[in-house]
Amino acid sequence: MPRGATSDLFDLIHSMTKNEKGYFKKYSSGYIKKGDSKYLKLFDLINKQKKYNEDVLITYFEQNYAEAHFSALKNYLFNLIIDALRSFSTSKKLQVIVSSAIHASEILLSKGLIPSCNKILKRTKRYALGFESYPEALLIIQQELYIYSRTSRQKGSSIETLLKERQDAIEHIRTEERFSSAYWKLSGMLLKYGNQDKKVKSLAEKYIINLKQLSEEEKKYMGFRAQKDALEVKALAYNILLDVDASINTLKTKIALFQKNKYLLKQEAWQRSFFITLSNYISLLISANKENEINDALGDLETFIVKDLKVDIKSTAKAWESLYTMKTRYYIKVGYYDKAYDFLEGFNEQYGQYKKHLSPFNKMRMAHSTILVHFTSGKFDLALEEINSLLSYQRVHNRVELKTIARFLELMIHVELNNNLLVESLVNSIYRLMQKEKTYPLSTTITLKALKDLSSNQKSNPENTINQLEELLITNKAEQQFMKDTLIIPFLRHRYFKTNLQEEVVKYYQKSP
């Protein structure tokens, strides 16, 4: 922990969940001498503080624990909490539980305590199968077979039962692997060739037909994981074939599958998977303009984050960032600017504390969404303030780098404000930046020329400029991303034809792919 009057310990304690705090109290009892309450007292005092005040804490400890060295006390407590959180996280992972059970069975076997050995393995096997984790269950069964071979006269599962369980686990794993491999193959081809490629479309069609023609024997070994993977293949295939409604219905079925098997959501991995599914479902609803369903789904996502998502603080922060980005983009798309500002204000009041736990990239994504709200609302001073904030973050590469996007938005604002001398300087600066980057979409060059012409009142064929950008929007993913991130097409229409920017943005989203 850093030395000095820092708030690191305060931030750590206030980032902990109720369960983590309870676990820490139990965990620390094994590391703190009986009667030595100063560490837990420090924990409780900081936990009650609304704002970190180290002077109050030092005064308290000088009066009540004169022998205690405060900075050493803080340092020890910080490290003890980290150890407890590490233990809390590890103890919940199924792989660790299975590994520990197998290790314990080997110790018990070496001491001849076979009944206790069988008991531990059976209990852990039931736990693994309860979460349909067949690879882990298979490890336990293999250990049971090993013990049976060493102690065949001892009581325990019969060899026939164990072999049947082993074969059942193997068949489930094979089925899961089949759908998982199909998903990654289709996903890989999509990334490599794009959704217009005949090979990709043909494979997508083939998978949909195969999934409709599954035999009863194949369905017999389709547990939750295999069903989930099969639905992922199906949703991706429909996406490639541009059947948005079928893709939405497939993801709706997948969400219902999760809700039917809610007990699985106790596992962190399944919580993450459900969150991703719900997020993808919302993205498709937004692209298909299904307004009523969007509001319900956004509400479901927020409820899930608040009540059910039990992951580490960084993952929780990332979940809030995803919700923030989806909601702000949706409100911009449909022109609900009052709702957008109400949401921004409410979000910062309730969940603003999560921002400090985000990675630089997620902070930049969040800032970018806020910039678009201010920019399309004509609140350029707020947009420029947020742009400066984004530009201060550590460099992160993602398609066209987000800092480059921010500079384009800054340029567009100054074109709108007719700051012509500043526009010329910014155009030159972005050109230099792009030459340094070496790889950038063609639309960036067209955009720079158009913005430069606008600032010097040279309308060189506006229809041709927009047509060029719209053609690129249809044919290339990198171009699509740049144009959606800057909203350059509605902005140029607004400037060329003196129309309302917000109306142009709504029209653009209705037409864009």
Side-chain angles (χ1 to χ4, degrees):
M1 175 180 166
R3 296 176 183 274
T6 65
S7 64
D8 297 68
L9 183 58
F10 174 88
D11 294 338
L12 177 62
I13 290 170
H14 282 267
S15 74
M16 293 166 74
T17 64
K18 189 178 177 182
N19 287 342
E20 286 171 338
K21 288 174 183 175
Y23 182 82
F24 166 72
K25 295 277 181 88
K26 292 175 190 171
Y27 179 88
S28 61
S29 62
Y31 292 85
I32 297 172
K33 289 178 185 176
K34 199 170 182 181
D36 188 2
S37 61
K38 58 182 177 288
Y39 297 104
L40 289 179
K41 189 65 187 174
L42 178 58
F43 181 92
D44 290 335
L45 287 171
I46 292 176
N47 192 35
K48 286 174 185 173
Q49 285 188 334
K50 299 284 186 202
K51 189 176 179 183
Y52 186 57
N53 189 329
E54 188 157 299
D55 292 336
V56 170
L57 297 172
I58 290 171
T59 303
Y60 177 87
F61 278 89
E62 282 175 350
Q63 291 171 356
N64 295 278
Y65 299 93
E67 80 289 354
H69 191 284
F70 187 72
S71 62
L73 196 68
K74 266 174 56 181
N75 194 50
Y76 183 83
L77 180 58
F78 185 91
N79 291 324
L80 187 60
I81 292 170
I82 293 294
D83 287 342
L85 292 176
R86 193 184 296 121
S87 172
F88 181 76
S89 173
T90 301
S91 66
K92 297 169 82 174
K93 295 191 187 305
L94 183 56
Q95 294 89 338
V96 175
I97 293 168
V98 169
S99 177
S100 299
I102 290 172
H103 185 56
S105 74
E106 287 169 351
I107 293 169
L108 292 167
L109 177 63
S110 70
K111 296 186 177 297
L113 302 172
I114 310 306
S116 297
C117 181
N118 287 329
K119 197 173 180 180
I120 282 177
L121 291 174
K122 278 189 175 178
R123 184 174 65 237
T124 309
K125 181 171 66 180
R126 277 198 303 272
Y127 184 72
L129 288 171
F131 287 106
E132 295 196 18
S133 293
Y134 291 102
E136 284 73 30
L138 183 59
L139 290 173
I140 294 285
I141 294 164
Q142 301 280 39
Q143 183 69 0
E144 286 182 306
L145 284 165
Y146 169 70
I147 290 166
Y148 187 92
S149 70
R150 296 281 300 274
T151 59
S152 57
R153 284 173 289 182
Q154 295 285 346
K155 286 187 177 180
S157 301
S158 70
I159 188 71
E160 289 81 10
T161 302
L162 288 173
L163 288 172
K164 186 175 181 302
E165 286 178 351
R166 179 177 178 274
Q167 188 58 36
D168 186 71
I170 288 169
E171 291 300 331
H172 274 94
I173 292 166
R174 277 181 183 156
T175 306
E176 290 168 5
E177 184 57 33
R178 174 188 166 192
F179 295 118
S180 178
S181 297
Y183 176 81
W184 291 115
K185 183 177 179 181
L186 188 56
S187 179
M189 286 187 68
L190 176 62
L191 283 170
K192 188 174 181 180
Y193 301 110
N195 64 354
Q196 298 299 314
D197 186 83
K198 285 183 181 178
K199 295 189 289 293
V200 178
K201 285 188 173 183
S202 175
L203 188 62
E205 288 167 353
K206 178 187 168 185
Y207 282 154
I208 288 171
I209 292 166
N210 289 348
L211 287 166
K212 286 177 180 177
Q213 296 175 348
L214 291 172
S215 68
E216 290 306 312
E217 186 64 21
E218 287 172 311
K219 289 177 185 176
K220 179 181 169 183
Y221 293 107
M222 282 185 71
F224 170 81
R225 195 187 300 255
Q227 289 179 61
K228 176 192 76 73
D229 288 346
L231 288 167
E232 281 177 0
V233 174
K234 204 172 179 181
L236 180 60
Y238 280 129
N239 242 340
I240 288 166
L241 299 172
L242 303 179
D243 192 337
V244 177
D245 286 339
S247 195
I248 286 171
N249 289 332
T250 304
L251 287 178
K252 200 183 285 187
T253 305
K254 190 179 166 189
I255 290 166
L257 178 69
F258 270 107
Q259 290 168 337
K260 186 181 172 184
N261 297 275
K262 262 197 167 178
Y263 65 94
L264 289 170
L265 293 176
K266 291 175 185 175
Q267 286 284 315
E268 190 176 305
W270 291 126
Q271 288 178 27
R272 292 176 194 274
S273 181
F274 181 67
F275 176 81
I276 291 167
T277 301
L278 204 46
S279 300
N280 290 340
Y281 174 62
I282 292 167
S283 297
L284 277 175
L285 290 175
I286 291 172
S287 70
N289 294 313
K290 296 187 181 288
E291 194 171 327
N292 293 333
E293 291 173 72
I294 292 166
N295 290 321
D296 290 344
L298 284 168
D300 290 344
L301 185 63
E302 188 165 353
T303 301
F304 175 72
I305 297 171
V306 173
K307 292 186 175 179
D308 301 313
L309 192 63
K310 311 292 183 207
V311 294
D312 61 89
I313 191 74
K314 286 188 176 180
S315 298
T316 304
K318 194 174 176 183
W320 282 118
E321 182 273 318
S322 294
L323 178 71
Y324 183 92
T325 300
M326 279 189 280
K327 268 201 169 185
T328 49
R329 298 297 179 91
Y330 167 58
Y331 289 141
I332 291 168
K333 179 175 181 176
V334 292
Y336 292 166
Y337 287 93
D338 290 342
K339 282 188 178 182
Y341 277 106
D342 287 345
F343 172 68
L344 293 189
E345 189 179 334
F347 185 92
N348 287 326
E349 282 177 12
Q350 292 181 64
Y351 308 114
Q353 76 269 22
Y354 286 103
K355 281 186 182 179
K356 63 188 174 190
H357 299 288
L358 289 170
S359 68
F361 169 65
N362 291 111
K363 284 178 182 174
M364 287 165 77
R365 264 186 31 124
M366 209 166 176
H368 177 236
S369 299
T370 311
I371 291 164
L372 289 179
V373 173
H374 295 322
F375 171 68
T376 51
S377 300
K379 296 184 178 181
F380 300 125
D381 53 339
L382 294 175
L384 289 168
E385 193 179 306
E386 202 67 41
I387 285 168
N388 288 332
S389 167
L390 190 154
L391 292 173
S392 71
Y393 291 125
Q394 172 185 327
R395 184 180 177 79
V396 180
H397 283 281
N398 183 59
R399 301 184 187 94
V400 174
E401 210 251 326
L402 279 169
K403 287 192 175 186
T404 307
I405 296 294
R407 287 187 173 94
F408 268 95
L409 286 162
E410 182 183 22
L411 171 59
M412 289 156 68
I413 288 169
H414 288 298
V415 167
E416 182 72 7
L417 296 172
N418 297 314
N419 296 331
N420 296 335
L421 289 174
L422 193 51
V423 167
E424 190 174 346
S425 171
L426 285 169
V427 167
N428 293 334
S429 171
I430 293 171
Y431 265 126
R432 285 195 299 272
L433 181 71
M434 285 163 52
Q435 284 166 356
K436 192 176 175 184
E437 293 288 337
K438 292 180 185 175
T439 56
Y440 46 85
L442 175 60
S443 49
T444 56
T445 309
I446 299 169
T447 298
L448 279 177
K449 185 180 183 309
L451 293 173
K452 193 174 180 181
D453 288 347
L454 275 169
S455 72
S456 56
N457 295 317
Q458 292 180 28
K459 285 191 188 178
S460 52
N461 201 338
E463 287 289 356
N464 184 49
T465 300
I466 288 171
N467 287 340
Q468 277 183 287
L469 290 172
E470 286 180 341
E471 278 177 31
L472 289 169
L473 185 65
I474 295 166
T475 58
N476 188 294
K477 269 198 170 183
E479 307 290 355
Q480 285 176 20
Q481 199 61 46
F482 169 77
M483 285 184 264
K484 285 184 178 181
D485 284 344
T486 56
L487 296 175
I488 186 59
I489 291 176
F491 177 76
L492 288 176
R493 282 192 173 281
H494 150 70
R495 289 291 297 182
Y496 284 146
F497 308 117
K498 311 296 182 193
T499 54
N500 180 282
L501 177 59
Q502 291 179 2
E503 289 174 7
E504 289 293 352
V505 169
V506 172
K507 281 184 208 169
Y508 165 74
Y509 274 120
Q510 286 172 346
K511 288 168 62 180
S512 64

